[in-house]
Amino acid sequence: RRLTIIARMKQKLRNGSPPRELELKLAIDKRADGARRLRDILSAGERDAPVTRRLRTIYFDTPSHDLRSKHISLRVRQVEGSWRQSVKAETRIRGGLSNPIEVEGDVKGPLPDLRAVADTKRRRRLRKIIGSNQLKRLFETDVRRTTQTVSDTQGNHVEIAFDDAAIKSATDTEEFGELELELKRWRPNGIMEIVKLISQNDIPVRPSSYSNAERGYRLVLKESNAALKPKKLKQSPLKAGQSAPKAFQALLEWTVEQ
């Protein structure tokens, strides 16, 4: 199995928009000790006692996967007897990086309720995409998550979560692991500091292109999550009028995806 390392920061926007998450997803061979080494490096300071809990998350879409086609995920998660709905938009991952918008709300049970989407703009867009279609339960994840918060001498706090997980469709099951680093209180360039730590300690990783939602869709569609296949260039990443830095960034992102 491969283990995915995720470095995550919450971004609060000033214009009243829903908060975004800045995520860096890196895959590492679970047989290697890189994830343990990174966890040990980050845990060098003060640490809370680890807490383990089980998370059950159910993902929904229309029969023709209209939400996925618009880079939106809709899920309902059970945590300690309560249910919480999450809508993520702009979920595309490029070079291991994603910056989705997330809108959350409590619901009464394991079914989605669009009335719980407090953001009016997002709720209207969801209704428009879904139209007259019925939402269908596609797959779910069953996660055993162990979390621990650690801090360093400079007052930075990071929550380290290790997930031993399985994703299940109606006919198939796939196991996977994730080491998630949520930067609770960190300097603005915290993600780059994590990348620097990985580089300085020779931890072998590669960018990961799959969110849990995308893993589930690939399982439903019988597409392998493990196989590494080259991606063909469908269209040039360059656009007329781009500045040199923007053009270089686009080429670099495309190269990483390859």
Side-chain angles (χ1 to χ4, degrees):
R1 292 192 298 170
R2 281 193 172 272
L3 178 71
T4 303
I5 299 174
I6 304 174
R8 170 181 291 137
M9 292 180 69
K10 294 280 188 179
Q11 296 178 309
K12 293 183 179 180
L13 306 181
R14 297 180 179 179
N15 60 2
S17 298
R20 285 183 179 266
E21 289 183 337
L22 180 61
E23 286 188 354
L24 172 65
K25 300 174 83 71
L26 301 170
I28 186 170
D29 194 321
K30 199 170 187 288
R31 294 168 295 180
D33 68 346
R36 179 189 58 78
R37 286 162 51 203
L38 178 60
R39 181 169 52 186
D40 290 346
I41 291 167
L42 291 168
S43 302
E46 297 181 4
R47 65 184 78 181
D48 295 339
V51 176
T52 299
R53 58 180 178 170
R54 185 179 177 186
L55 307 175
R56 180 190 175 203
T57 307
I58 307 171
Y59 290 80
F60 296 84
D61 203 340
T62 64
S64 55
H65 303 169
D66 295 299
L67 295 179
R68 183 198 191 197
S69 70
K70 300 296 184 182
H71 305 288
I72 295 172
S73 69
L74 172 60
R75 74 185 190 199
V76 177
R77 171 173 289 174
Q78 183 182 35
V79 184
E80 298 175 350
S82 299
W83 293 91
R84 190 157 181 83
Q85 177 177 273
S86 171
V87 178
K88 285 190 177 184
E90 301 178 28
T91 57
R92 186 185 287 109
I93 299 175
R94 292 178 176 172
L97 276 173
S98 65
N99 193 201
I101 293 172
E102 183 174 20
V103 180
E104 295 183 298
D106 294 327
V107 290
K108 295 181 179 180
L111 297 177
D113 184 351
L114 299 188
R115 294 172 298 180
V117 181
D119 185 276
T120 304
K121 179 180 177 181
R122 305 294 163 186
R123 185 171 63 250
R124 287 175 178 170
R125 177 164 168 73
L126 277 174
R127 292 189 186 280
K128 183 177 180 180
I129 294 171
I130 296 169
S132 60
N133 294 303
Q134 292 291 322
L135 287 173
K136 177 183 177 182
R137 172 177 164 173
L138 294 180
F139 50 88
E140 68 175 75
T141 58
D142 187 4
V143 178
R144 184 175 182 269
R145 172 171 293 179
T146 301
T147 59
Q148 184 176 36
T149 301
V150 302
S151 58
D152 62 17
T153 55
Q154 298 179 357
N156 299 309
H157 296 263
V158 57
E159 183 181 86
I160 302 174
F162 179 75
D163 289 350
D164 192 8
I167 194 160
K168 305 173 183 178
S169 68
T171 57
D172 297 293
T173 299
E174 178 183 303
E175 295 182 340
F176 65 97
E178 287 188 341
L179 177 65
E180 180 177 305
L181 313 172
E182 183 164 348
L183 310 185
K184 296 288 191 178
R185 187 190 304 162
W186 206 273
R187 291 175 289 277
N189 61 342
I191 293 289
M192 294 308 300
E193 291 187 22
I194 297 297
V195 173
K196 187 176 180 181
L197 278 175
I198 291 171
S199 176
Q200 289 175 338
N201 290 276
D202 296 321
I203 298 173
V205 297
R206 64 174 176 81
S208 175
S209 300
Y210 303 141
S211 63
N212 286 355
E214 186 59 24
R215 284 179 181 273
Y217 282 110
R218 293 175 67 85
L219 191 67
V220 168
L221 297 172
K222 309 293 185 182
E223 298 174 0
S224 172
N225 285 316
L228 290 176
K229 299 179 181 179
K231 292 186 177 181
K232 294 183 179 180
L233 179 61
K234 296 181 179 180
Q235 61 182 22
S236 172
L238 303 181
K239 298 179 181 178
Q242 271 184 318
S243 64
K246 288 291 185 181
F248 179 76
Q249 179 182 349
L251 285 172
L252 186 60
E253 288 177 351
W254 171 71
T255 303
V256 171
E257 284 295 309
Q258 289 293 98

